[in-house]
């Protein structure tokens, strides 16, 4: 990723974080309302911190979101203390090259639907990882849904 692109992503994410400040419905565990989340994982990442203290490593969080209700919901944002910024991204092949885009208005979770975040598709981009993510450890992330509120999940670190 070119530096200019990274800065643009950070600006976008800052807006998203501000948009998330209003969440007040917070629940622990892996389900809230009609939304349940499973298979949350991240590959191990070595956190590279440069001489100015800037965290330069990125990673991707994968998970499966299920909506058992008759009303669609939207994953509006994600936060995780292990990184500086988290964004909802979609990878796509464009003219034979893998590219990724941020989804600025979040990701709809259809009624009675399931969305898989997996390599080559949707992922939560973890930008500016602050500490090593070692295989076998876990870390916490918060998923902010428009209807279901905030869900805290534990990500496994390893390979699926
Ligand atoms: Cu990405």
């Amino acid at each position: 990723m070119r530096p200019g692109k990274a800065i643009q992503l950070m600006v976008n994410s800052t807006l998203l974080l501000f948009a998330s400040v209003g969440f007040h419905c917070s629940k622990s565990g892996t389900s809230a309302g009609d939304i349940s989340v499973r298979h949350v994982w991240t590959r191990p990442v070595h956190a590279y911190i440069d001489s100015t203290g800037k965290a330069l490593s990125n990673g991707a969080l994968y998970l499966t979101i299920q909506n058992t209700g008759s009303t669609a919901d939207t994953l509006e944002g994600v936060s995780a203390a292990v990184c500086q910024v988290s964004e909802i991204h979609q990878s796509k092949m464009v003219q034979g090259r893998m590219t990724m885009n941020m989804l600025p208005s979040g990701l709809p979770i259809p009624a009675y639907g399931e969305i898989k975040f997996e390599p080559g598709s949707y992922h939560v981009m973890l930008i500016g990882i602050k500490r090593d993510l070692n295989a076998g450890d876990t870390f916490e992330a918060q998923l902010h849904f428009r209807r279901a509120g905030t869900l805290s999940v534990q990500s496994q670190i390893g390979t699926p």
Side-chain angles (χ1 to χ4, degrees):
M1 182 186 294
R2 295 195 318 274
K5 171 87 169 156
I7 288 164
Q8 185 57 45
L9 290 174
M10 286 198 182
V11 170
N12 290 343
S13 314
T14 307
L15 295 175
L16 196 65
L17 286 178
F18 278 118
S20 306
V21 164
F23 287 105
H24 50 87
C25 172
S26 184
K27 288 184 191 175
S28 292
T30 54
S31 67
D34 296 326
I35 295 292
S36 61
V37 175
R38 65 180 195 276
H39 196 208
V40 187
W41 67 280
T42 303
R43 289 197 179 94
V45 175
H46 172 64
Y48 179 66
I49 313 291
D50 77 7
S51 58
T52 68
K54 196 167 189 299
L56 300 177
S57 303
N58 297 334
L61 178 71
Y62 303 107
L63 65 158
T64 300
I65 301 172
Q66 188 177 18
N67 181 359
T68 57
S70 57
T71 309
D73 204 337
T74 300
L75 178 64
E76 295 186 313
V78 178
S79 39
V82 292
C83 64
Q84 290 169 337
V85 168
S86 356
E87 297 180 344
I88 304 165
H89 282 193
Q90 182 176 25
S91 294
K92 276 186 202 169
M93 289 298 278
V94 177
Q95 296 175 338
R97 296 182 61 180
M98 189 61 93
T99 63
M100 60 186 180
N101 293 80
M102 182 190 169
L103 303 178
S105 49
L107 180 63
I109 314 295
Y112 306 118
E114 186 173 273
I115 302 276
K116 280 188 161 66
F117 286 58
E118 55 193 358
S121 176
Y122 298 116
H123 56 278
V124 178
M125 200 81 211
L126 305 172
I127 300 168
I129 292 177
K130 298 174 193 171
R131 63 167 174 84
D132 287 350
L133 304 181
N134 295 313
D137 288 352
T138 63
F139 66 92
E140 190 174 286
Q142 286 77 38
L143 311 177
H144 306 294
F145 292 93
R146 186 172 297 163
R147 284 174 48 82
T150 295
L151 246 92
S152 287
V153 296
Q154 290 290 328
S155 175
Q156 306 291 318
I157 302 170
T159 44

